[in-house]
Amino acid sequence: MVYADADDVEQALATTSAAFNEWSFTPAAERAACLRRYADLLEAHMGELIARCTREAGKNIADGIAEVREAVDFCRYYAVQVEDEFAGETVLPGPTGERNTYGLYGRGVFVAICPWNFPLAIFSGQVAAALAAGNAVIAKPAEQTCLVGAAAIELMHEAGFPGDVLAYLPGPGEIGAALVADPRIAGVAFTGSMPTAKKINRTLAERDGPIIPLIAETGGQNAMIVDSSALIEQVVADVVRSGFQSAGQRCSALRVLYVQTDIADDLIEMLSGAMAELSVGDPWQLGTDVTPVIDTAARDKLAEYAAYADAHFKNHYTCKLDETHETGTYIAPRIYELDSIDQLGDEQFGPIVHIIRFSASGIDQVVDDINALGYGLTFGIHSRIDTTVERVLKRLRVGNAYVNRNIIGAVVGVHPFGGEGLSGTGPKAGGPHYLYRFATERSVSRDTTAAGGNASLMSLEEDEPSEHVYVTPEPQRLNRAADSEPERTRD
Ligand code: UN1
């Protein structure tokens, strides 16, 4: 893979800026058709894409399948929305003699700065949303996963997204930094760490020219609360999946498990037993549960933390690695017990779960402590007492809460994904409001008296509705007033 250089950055900016306007006025149906063709191509190339995710990102086969599925879901979901809500002008109410319209349009050239942990799914989601809304896009993949990104871009071009509307600039962080600082950029979609998101935000604030949107999805210190009414077997399965699937390298992954003291020993024992069954190993093997972490830098950082944790916390269980794994970037899944949340440091992006005991009467304080961490991405509660669940959900500030289930694997359109506070700016990916953030709104008011008035009034039959005749519009029916009327049968 050859990385982009400063000349490529300039060329991408010049080309996409020139091509943007025409793309923005390409009919929404055509943009949606490109998204659907891309989704079909992803499915047709599934095997190759899974292999790339394994080769480059160390994903196991199940996670590779999930990558392709999520990328496909993003495209089909945004395609429907673009057709419904971006297809030209909506006529608004107004006095006769005036025609008022409103529409959503692309903003310009968006930069998509994408993560290595979902090199196909989140990459495709960010890029597809920006293109769908009518923007040109410069995509910057994570350095670690440029080949997965390259395959995605090739398929996008094959699907019909024009070459001059969609550019690909693989490379280190400086490429992203140069793009963000350029005044030709009209928006940034970013998934990655909070420190990088803050840097981008500062760069944008320093730029001359317009203030532009930053859509950032960052990290989390995701917690799960388990009270004594929970079914321990189910909790254990959900903790293993939430904490250790994808080697804990999801923003959504479980980091802090709060267990009511009364069941803590039983739960820890059963969890340790389940961890003993995990197969940590080669991602190419179908039987592998926990894969290596992304690179040596990540492994070394996690290993350093693990050494600190071994010295300071109670290690209840650490999975065994066989000797052949010593050369790879493996980190054995492990659980540590903390005395208090105050001991929790920064987010550890790997298969490490912290356990804290709490007493039933202290549950509000637990929620306050979780809120006080400042993040607000995912959260789980295991309880069979509805009032406890509702009480906790009301107190908690979090983007994605899960009740009596695991806390990862948000599905497009089903679990719109994204956090609050330090976890992101919103709007949620795969949710109903995501595309709007990539768009600009324009309204046009035309004085039709200059052209002889509202001619349609003269040709009106009695009872025939006219888009131009509004007496007292009902606000909730402004759009699609005619569509939303139920069919009336005439006798
Ligand atoms: C991330 O790790 O950046 O819910 C997001 C999930 C995925 C999204 C994770 N759909 O686990």
Side-chain angles (χ1 to χ4, degrees):
M1 169 64 63
V2 180
Y3 283 164
D5 59 20
D7 289 344
D8 298 321
V9 170
E10 179 50 40
Q11 201 190 328
L13 283 162
T15 313
T16 49
S17 304
F20 152 69
N21 206 46
E22 196 182 329
W23 176 248
S24 160
F25 282 94
T26 301
E30 253 175 64
R31 303 204 302 264
C34 290
L35 288 175
R36 292 204 175 93
R37 277 195 298 270
Y38 175 54
D40 292 345
L41 285 167
L42 287 170
E43 287 185 330
H45 290 78
M46 193 155 194
E48 179 202 329
L49 293 165
I50 293 169
R52 281 195 192 223
C53 287
T54 304
R55 180 73 187 81
E56 208 181 20
K59 291 205 167 235
N60 67 11
I61 310 301
D63 279 350
I65 294 170
E67 280 278 314
V68 179
R69 173 189 160 179
E70 195 173 348
V72 167
D73 287 350
F74 276 128
C75 295
R76 298 203 172 129
Y77 181 84
Y78 296 142
V80 169
Q81 206 186 350
V82 151
E83 273 173 347
D84 282 356
E85 288 155 46
F86 286 66
E89 296 176 326
T90 304
V91 178
L92 300 175
T96 190
E98 202 174 270
R99 181 181 161 83
N100 298 296
T101 55
Y102 164 87
L104 292 162
Y105 300 89
R107 303 184 73 99
V109 180
F110 251 81
V111 181
I113 301 177
C114 307
W116 51 258
N117 69 338
F118 286 90
L120 185 66
I122 293 184
F123 181 92
S124 298
Q126 291 183 185
V127 173
L131 288 168
N135 301 284
V137 176
I138 301 177
K140 208 303 260 167
E143 243 174 309
Q144 294 90 335
T145 52
C146 293
L147 297 176
V148 175
I153 292 286
E154 266 174 38
L155 294 179
M156 284 183 187
H157 285 147
E158 193 180 330
F161 292 111
D164 52 0
V165 161
L166 172 59
Y168 186 59
L169 293 183
E174 292 81 61
I175 298 286
L179 288 167
V180 168
D182 194 284
R184 283 166 286 183
I185 292 303
V188 180
F190 169 76
T191 302
S193 72
M194 192 58 189
T196 308
K198 281 192 169 155
K199 232 188 261 173
I200 294 173
N201 201 26
R202 286 199 189 99
T203 306
L204 294 178
E206 290 297 321
R207 282 179 8 157
D208 286 332
I211 295 169
I212 63 170
L214 166 60
I215 303 158
E217 201 252 280
T218 55
Q221 284 285 34
N222 310 307
M224 180 185 281
I225 296 178
V226 179
D227 79 6
S228 62
S229 73
L231 184 64
I232 295 185
E233 289 82 350
Q234 192 188 345
V235 174
V236 165
D238 289 340
V239 168
V240 167
R241 176 136 192 244
S242 306
F244 307 133
Q245 187 172 333
S246 316
Q249 300 175 108
R250 296 180 180 231
C251 301
S252 51
L254 176 64
R255 310 290 179 210
V256 190
L257 177 65
Y258 276 97
V259 187
Q260 194 174 320
T261 310
D262 315 60
I263 58 159
D265 289 337
D266 289 349
L267 194 151
I268 290 167
E269 191 188 337
M270 201 183 288
L271 178 58
S272 304
M275 289 173 69
E277 295 304 311
L278 286 176
S279 141
V280 186
D282 183 350
W284 291 101
Q285 299 302 321
L286 281 172
T288 292
D289 300 305
V290 183
T291 50
V293 295
I294 187 69
D295 55 19
T296 49
R299 181 202 53 196
D300 293 349
K301 188 168 171 278
L302 287 162
E304 194 186 316
Y305 176 76
Y308 170 86
D310 283 335
H312 292 83
F313 312 136
K314 179 159 178 43
N315 173 232
H316 282 291
Y317 193 82
T318 296
C319 292
K320 304 279 170 293
L321 293 184
D322 72 38
E323 279 158 27
T324 57
H325 293 148
E326 273 167 22
T327 52
T329 55
Y330 291 93
I331 288 288
R334 57 196 80 209
I335 46 175
Y336 292 103
E337 182 167 348
L338 309 186
D339 297 327
S340 114
I341 189 89
D342 300 335
Q343 293 173 304
L344 189 74
D346 296 337
E347 177 190 26
Q348 298 299 325
F349 212 65
I352 300 174
V353 172
H354 304 88
I355 298 174
I356 303 175
R357 297 176 198 237
F358 73 96
S359 64
S361 60
I363 195 160
D364 285 348
Q365 186 59 49
V366 168
V367 177
D368 292 346
D369 288 347
I370 296 168
N371 284 337
L373 292 170
Y375 292 90
L377 192 54
T378 63
F379 167 79
I381 176 156
H382 268 272
S383 171
R384 281 179 283 180
I385 303 169
D386 289 348
T387 49
T388 302
V389 172
E390 294 315 316
R391 174 179 176 149
V392 166
L393 292 181
K394 263 193 197 138
R395 205 174 175 94
L396 194 77
R397 293 193 297 273
V398 74
N400 288 66
Y402 298 97
V403 180
N404 292 328
R405 51 153 289 176
N406 69 72
I407 67 169
I408 62 166
V411 173
V412 172
V414 178
H415 319 112
F417 186 81
E420 302 173 11
L422 294 174
S423 295
T425 59
K428 288 175 178 297
H433 301 122
Y434 194 59
L435 286 189
Y436 294 128
R437 194 72 186 106
F438 290 83
T440 190
E441 303 168 295
R442 292 187 187 141
S443 74
V444 180
S445 180
R446 293 179 169 86
D447 181 345
T448 54
T449 59
N454 184 352
S456 65
L457 283 177
M458 287 183 278
S459 58
L460 270 187
E461 301 273 330
E462 215 178 319
D463 289 345
E464 187 182 325
S466 159
E467 65 182 15
H468 300 286
V469 182
Y470 287 90
V471 185
T472 320
E474 295 170 37
Q476 72 275 20
R477 289 178 47 210
L478 288 186
N479 289 335
R480 309 163 177 274
D483 297 353
S484 57
E485 278 290 303
E487 283 273 322
R488 280 193 205 115
T489 45
R490 275 190 213 150
D491 300 322

